[in-house]
Amino acid sequence: MKVLNAILLFVLIIFHSFRSYSQTVDTLVNVGNYKLHFNIYKNSGIPVLFESGGGHDGAVWNEVVKKLRDSVNATLITYDRAGMGKSGIDTNDIDILSEINGLEIALKKLGYTNNILLVAHSFGGVYATLFSARNKNRVKGAVLIDVTLPCYMTPIRAKKATEPYKKELPTIKEKSIGTYYLLVNYEKSIDLLSKTSFPSNIPATVIGADFPPFKGENGILWKSCQKTFGELPRHNYILAEKSGHYIYLDDPELVTNEIIKLYRQTSAKKE
């Protein structure tokens, strides 16, 4: 009997390992003149797409994804934006709209053409806003973690924010071509954000940092902006107490719990 139990346990371990491995996809998707790198944990539920902050690739979400795997039946999708991580870039056609177009092409090729939930941090919120505006009937909810919002980052502030980096651009280009083009196109991206509203039909959880990424009056305004946006109809504002801008690192339990909560609300309506 003990031998049989041991054999059954061994089989279960092997099966579980094979099942986990078979559900994880690491792939490059051709979106025209370059390829985007995706890591996908496949499951049966509504896909959750993660947008990283400026200068980061999809790997920053690894720990959050690990925590979510055991809690929801969602397909979890992280990716590297153009020129970041393992993704390529088309330097002849690179701005935020061409990037979103590339993302849409990739999602279609991967078979994710229906409902989707977004999770975004910092400058990733600009991508999330523009993607949602273009796909307002597909995006069923968003968790926005201390994201860049037009009530704080105006075109004038964008110009001031990029000014200190102009002399460093050649060095930045050598180290990270994706970050280089993010900075080069920053003012244009923020100008577009200022003209685009996050769709009012999409429920959003807005998690604001207790210690914002700016000091003094700018920090107060950033924090106030998160709260104001989070208190709009269909939105839910949460202050991440004692957390800095990288809330998913300072308080990963809060972030994962809020993703789970919104995911379950969304799934209850759609599945």
Side-chain angles (χ1 to χ4, degrees):
M1 189 66 176
K2 290 183 179 179
V3 173
L4 179 59
N5 287 340
I7 292 172
L8 287 173
L9 179 60
F10 177 77
V11 169
L12 285 171
I13 291 171
I14 294 298
F15 174 77
H16 178 74
S17 298
F18 175 78
R19 180 174 177 272
S20 298
Y21 176 78
S22 66
Q23 288 181 323
T24 304
V25 177
D26 184 328
T27 187
L28 289 168
V29 181
N30 192 319
V31 297
N33 294 327
Y34 66 101
K35 294 179 180 180
L36 283 178
H37 174 245
F38 284 80
N39 270 302
I40 304 168
Y41 178 76
K42 289 191 172 184
N43 213 323
S44 59
I46 294 173
V48 179
L49 174 68
F50 293 81
E51 279 288 355
S52 309
H56 296 286
D57 59 33
V60 297
W61 297 109
N62 287 351
E63 291 304 313
V64 172
V65 168
K66 286 180 183 177
K67 289 179 180 293
L68 289 172
R69 282 184 177 188
D70 297 327
S71 302
V72 293
N73 65 335
T75 290
L76 306 172
I77 306 171
T78 64
Y79 80 107
D80 303 335
R81 288 196 292 266
M84 303 300 299
K86 297 178 182 178
S87 286
I89 190 170
D90 178 7
T91 57
N92 293 315
D93 182 21
I94 175 68
D95 60 24
I96 196 164
L97 286 181
S98 67
E99 288 188 77
I100 292 172
N101 185 58
L103 173 62
E104 290 170 342
I105 291 170
L107 290 173
K108 185 176 181 179
K109 285 189 172 184
L110 290 166
Y112 302 115
T113 57
N114 296 318
N115 299 336
I116 199 165
L117 192 79
L118 296 180
V119 177
H121 172 247
S122 195
F123 192 70
V126 182
Y127 290 84
T129 297
L130 299 178
F131 181 89
S132 296
R134 288 163 58 116
N135 298 274
K136 61 181 66 177
N137 294 322
R138 286 182 61 197
V139 178
K140 299 306 175 184
V143 177
L144 305 172
I145 306 164
D146 220 35
V147 293
T148 302
L149 296 170
C151 51
Y152 175 83
M153 191 55 76
T154 62
I156 292 174
R157 276 202 176 89
K159 186 174 183 179
K160 290 180 179 178
T162 54
E163 194 67 35
Y165 295 100
K166 288 186 176 179
K167 291 182 180 179
E168 300 177 35
L169 284 176
T171 302
I172 293 171
K173 188 175 184 179
E174 290 180 6
K175 293 181 178 179
S176 172
I177 194 166
T179 303
Y180 168 81
Y181 279 103
L182 184 152
L183 290 167
V184 168
N185 293 321
Y186 194 81
E187 290 179 48
K188 182 180 177 181
S189 299
I190 295 303
D191 182 63
L192 187 57
L193 175 69
S194 71
K195 300 171 183 175
T196 307
S197 297
F198 188 86
S200 59
N201 66 302
I202 299 175
T205 298
V206 181
I207 308 176
D210 203 358
F211 305 109
F214 302 101
K215 304 293 183 181
E217 291 184 5
N218 285 335
I220 293 171
L221 182 58
W222 174 279
K223 196 170 177 179
S224 173
C225 182
Q226 300 292 318
K227 188 171 187 291
T228 300
F229 183 66
E231 292 177 343
L232 291 175
R234 297 179 65 81
H235 290 191
N236 179 35
Y237 173 72
I238 296 164
L239 175 65
E241 296 182 0
K242 299 180 181 179
S243 286
H245 183 53
Y246 291 88
I247 302 170
Y248 60 87
L249 297 178
D250 293 343
D251 195 347
E253 293 298 326
L254 172 65
V255 170
T256 52
N257 286 342
E258 291 305 322
I259 295 171
I260 292 166
K261 188 184 300 182
L262 188 59
Y263 174 79
R264 287 177 176 166
Q265 291 171 2
T266 302
S267 298
K269 295 177 182 179
K270 300 298 174 184
E271 293 184 3

